[in-house]
Amino acid sequence: MWFRRSWHFILIVVLVLVAVRVALPYVLERLINDRLEKIPEYAGRVEDIDLHVWRGAYQLDGIEIVKTTGGTREPFFKAGQIDFSLAWRDLFRGRFVGDFALEDGQLIIVNGPTEESSQKEADRRWQDVIEDLFPIEITRLEIKDSLVRFIDNEADPKVDIALNGLQVVAKGLRNRPSEKRGPLPADVELRAKTIGNGDLRIFGGLDLLAERPRFSLNLELINVDLPELNDFLLAYGNVDVSRGDFQLFLEVAAADGKYEGYVKPFFDDLEFENVADKSKPVTQRLWENVVAALSGLLKNKERDQVATRIPFSGEFGETDVGILATIGNLIRHGFGRALSERLEGEIFAPSEEGLLKPDDEGDVARRGKDEARRSKEAGGGTDADKETTVAEKPPVRPQGPSGKR
């Protein structure tokens, strides 16, 4: 008798569990859609939700968030699929964290004449939504085949630029610094195609658990066809080009409330003459002639290239840009030693305590010369030997999409 009652009880439990499993996706879908409808000035919806109990995951399909004020036609956010799962590798180490994966996503930022017709808010409301939908801390983030688009309806002409084919991988986001992981325990890498068919890569390390921002990031943007950016150039610089390529290299690092870095823009094979120039206002043609004359004067004739190095540093909220250094580097590239088309190396150096500390001098070239001088004094080399030492022993750098080091 007890045996039959036990089987009946087990059968009832199994049926209840099956019913819960079948009903749970629909319950979650309703709860999530209710939450998305309550975003101030925005509304969202999810088409479908799938549960994967065996790996502790749920999947959102066909999510879309739109602005409900101002008549903005573009959705603020869309995604074909979002997958959120438990990170079992960390669970076995006693950490309850999750993995986040997004495919076919779109983030569209719009600048309009009014706040109602714009969608560019980055405030607490979105953090609250993320925390409600994904309540477990995320340690690994992956984004595939996505797009970030910026539309400026206030600009003349209208600006519409995008990062296409966006791929992002961020690992160790909840890790703490250690002797094994180093002072920056999280790694991040981003790759995308820009307007003008450029290749963008951003990579580096960071410590998200630090009390104050602590990171070291590098950026490489190469092979941009400048005429494709003419709307952007006209809107913000009042010039356009008929020919030219663009490259950009940037390094920035931060620790202890301070940051330091540089940016190096390169303009190759510039040509400002356009068929449409005759229809432009006189003031615009005059300005373009001034820009063309200056670029021709400061151009490195051997490379047919205009470039400079812009150093910047400061504390968060206060930025100091080296204007004199920027002008000096512009002239030096045009008439003296050309700037290298690559990343230079570390801006910050680890301290004995294992934390990133700002280098008060912040001068990579000076550090290289000091190292060469010490080498010369130790080995008795000549001035020619010193130049060879600096040239032959550059800092070790990650390889970028250009294949350069």
PDB file of all heavy atoms in Angstrom, residues 346-357:
ATOM      1  N   GLU A 346      53.373  51.378 -23.355  1.00  0.00           N
ATOM      2  CA  GLU A 346      52.695  51.686 -22.104  1.00  0.00           C
ATOM      3  C   GLU A 346      52.789  53.169 -21.763  1.00  0.00           C
ATOM      4  O   GLU A 346      53.835  53.777 -21.888  1.00  0.00           O
ATOM      5  CB  GLU A 346      53.278  50.861 -20.966  1.00  0.00           C
ATOM      6  CG  GLU A 346      53.022  49.363 -21.116  1.00  0.00           C
ATOM      7  CD  GLU A 346      53.587  48.599 -19.940  1.00  0.00           C
ATOM      8  OE1 GLU A 346      54.265  49.214 -19.098  1.00  0.00           O
ATOM      9  OE2 GLU A 346      53.341  47.375 -19.872  1.00  0.00           O
ATOM     10  N   ILE A 347      51.678  53.723 -21.290  1.00  0.00           N
ATOM     11  CA  ILE A 347      51.652  55.081 -20.751  1.00  0.00           C
ATOM     12  C   ILE A 347      51.844  55.023 -19.240  1.00  0.00           C
ATOM     13  O   ILE A 347      52.513  55.857 -18.649  1.00  0.00           O
ATOM     14  CB  ILE A 347      50.318  55.758 -21.090  1.00  0.00           C
ATOM     15  CG1 ILE A 347      50.197  55.956 -22.599  1.00  0.00           C
ATOM     16  CG2 ILE A 347      50.195  57.115 -20.401  1.00  0.00           C
ATOM     17  CD1 ILE A 347      51.224  56.902 -23.179  1.00  0.00           C
ATOM     18  N   PHE A 348      51.280  54.000 -18.606  1.00  0.00           N
ATOM     19  CA  PHE A 348      51.415  53.822 -17.166  1.00  0.00           C
ATOM     20  C   PHE A 348      52.267  52.580 -16.899  1.00  0.00           C
ATOM     21  O   PHE A 348      52.296  51.659 -17.700  1.00  0.00           O
ATOM     22  CB  PHE A 348      50.041  53.606 -16.519  1.00  0.00           C
ATOM     23  CG  PHE A 348      49.225  54.848 -16.368  1.00  0.00           C
ATOM     24  CD1 PHE A 348      49.152  55.790 -17.378  1.00  0.00           C
ATOM     25  CD2 PHE A 348      48.523  55.070 -15.211  1.00  0.00           C
ATOM     26  CE1 PHE A 348      48.385  56.918 -17.249  1.00  0.00           C
ATOM     27  CE2 PHE A 348      47.736  56.201 -15.072  1.00  0.00           C
ATOM     28  CZ  PHE A 348      47.670  57.122 -16.083  1.00  0.00           C
ATOM     29  N   ALA A 349      52.930  52.562 -15.768  1.00  0.00           N
ATOM     30  CA  ALA A 349      53.758  51.416 -15.392  1.00  0.00           C
ATOM     31  C   ALA A 349      53.301  50.890 -14.042  1.00  0.00           C
ATOM     32  O   ALA A 349      52.935  51.666 -13.160  1.00  0.00           O
ATOM     33  CB  ALA A 349      55.228  51.819 -15.322  1.00  0.00           C
ATOM     34  N   PRO A 350      53.300  49.567 -13.831  1.00  0.00           N
ATOM     35  CA  PRO A 350      52.922  49.019 -12.527  1.00  0.00           C
ATOM     36  C   PRO A 350      53.899  49.462 -11.442  1.00  0.00           C
ATOM     37  O   PRO A 350      55.104  49.564 -11.665  1.00  0.00           O
ATOM     38  CB  PRO A 350      52.985  47.511 -12.752  1.00  0.00           C
ATOM     39  CG  PRO A 350      52.949  47.323 -14.225  1.00  0.00           C
ATOM     40  CD  PRO A 350      53.598  48.533 -14.814  1.00  0.00           C
ATOM     41  N   SER A 351      53.353  49.710 -10.255  1.00  0.00           N
ATOM     42  CA  SER A 351      54.205  50.061  -9.128  1.00  0.00           C
ATOM     43  C   SER A 351      54.632  48.795  -8.394  1.00  0.00           C
ATOM     44  O   SER A 351      54.232  47.686  -8.735  1.00  0.00           O
ATOM     45  CB  SER A 351      53.450  50.978  -8.159  1.00  0.00           C
ATOM     46  OG  SER A 351      52.473  50.229  -7.451  1.00  0.00           O
ATOM     47  N   GLU A 352      55.449  48.962  -7.367  1.00  0.00           N
ATOM     48  CA  GLU A 352      55.903  47.805  -6.592  1.00  0.00           C
ATOM     49  C   GLU A 352      54.740  47.130  -5.884  1.00  0.00           C
ATOM     50  O   GLU A 352      54.791  45.936  -5.580  1.00  0.00           O
ATOM     51  CB  GLU A 352      56.961  48.247  -5.576  1.00  0.00           C
ATOM     52  CG  GLU A 352      58.255  48.749  -6.220  1.00  0.00           C
ATOM     53  CD  GLU A 352      59.263  49.170  -5.178  1.00  0.00           C
ATOM     54  OE1 GLU A 352      58.915  49.138  -3.985  1.00  0.00           O
ATOM     55  OE2 GLU A 352      60.383  49.531  -5.567  1.00  0.00           O
ATOM     56  N   GLU A 353      53.656  47.895  -5.602  1.00  0.00           N
ATOM     57  CA  GLU A 353      52.496  47.318  -4.934  1.00  0.00           C
ATOM     58  C   GLU A 353      51.587  46.562  -5.903  1.00  0.00           C
ATOM     59  O   GLU A 353      50.597  45.971  -5.493  1.00  0.00           O
ATOM     60  CB  GLU A 353      51.682  48.419  -4.241  1.00  0.00           C
ATOM     61  CG  GLU A 353      52.371  49.047  -3.045  1.00  0.00           C
ATOM     62  CD  GLU A 353      53.412  50.076  -3.470  1.00  0.00           C
ATOM     63  OE1 GLU A 353      53.365  50.491  -4.650  1.00  0.00           O
ATOM     64  OE2 GLU A 353      54.259  50.436  -2.640  1.00  0.00           O
ATOM     65  N   GLY A 354      51.903  46.587  -7.189  1.00  0.00           N
ATOM     66  CA  GLY A 354      51.107  45.871  -8.166  1.00  0.00           C
ATOM     67  C   GLY A 354      49.931  46.654  -8.704  1.00  0.00           C
ATOM     68  O   GLY A 354      49.120  46.116  -9.433  1.00  0.00           O
ATOM     69  N   LEU A 355      49.797  47.949  -8.345  1.00  0.00           N
ATOM     70  CA  LEU A 355      48.722  48.783  -8.851  1.00  0.00           C
ATOM     71  C   LEU A 355      49.273  49.743  -9.884  1.00  0.00           C
ATOM     72  O   LEU A 355      50.415  50.171  -9.796  1.00  0.00           O
ATOM     73  CB  LEU A 355      48.075  49.582  -7.707  1.00  0.00           C
ATOM     74  CG  LEU A 355      47.486  48.774  -6.563  1.00  0.00           C
ATOM     75  CD1 LEU A 355      46.951  49.715  -5.494  1.00  0.00           C
ATOM     76  CD2 LEU A 355      46.384  47.859  -7.052  1.00  0.00           C
ATOM     77  N   LEU A 356      48.434  50.110 -10.849  1.00  0.00           N
ATOM     78  CA  LEU A 356      48.884  51.053 -11.856  1.00  0.00           C
ATOM     79  C   LEU A 356      49.027  52.436 -11.248  1.00  0.00           C
ATOM     80  O   LEU A 356      48.134  52.931 -10.570  1.00  0.00           O
ATOM     81  CB  LEU A 356      47.888  51.124 -13.015  1.00  0.00           C
ATOM     82  CG  LEU A 356      47.894  49.936 -13.959  1.00  0.00           C
ATOM     83  CD1 LEU A 356      46.866  50.147 -15.049  1.00  0.00           C
ATOM     84  CD2 LEU A 356      49.256  49.735 -14.583  1.00  0.00           C
ATOM     85  N   LYS A 357      50.167  53.047 -11.450  1.00  0.00           N
ATOM     86  CA  LYS A 357      50.430  54.405 -10.980  1.00  0.00           C
ATOM     87  C   LYS A 357      50.786  55.279 -12.165  1.00  0.00           C
ATOM     88  O   LYS A 357      51.542  54.867 -13.046  1.00  0.00           O
ATOM     89  CB  LYS A 357      51.599  54.420  -9.981  1.00  0.00           C
ATOM     90  CG  LYS A 357      51.320  53.608  -8.712  1.00  0.00           C
ATOM     91  CD  LYS A 357      50.298  54.309  -7.836  1.00  0.00           C
ATOM     92  CE  LYS A 357      50.114  53.544  -6.531  1.00  0.00           C
ATOM     93  NZ  LYS A 357      49.104  54.192  -5.670  1.00  0.00           N
TER      94      LYS A 357
END
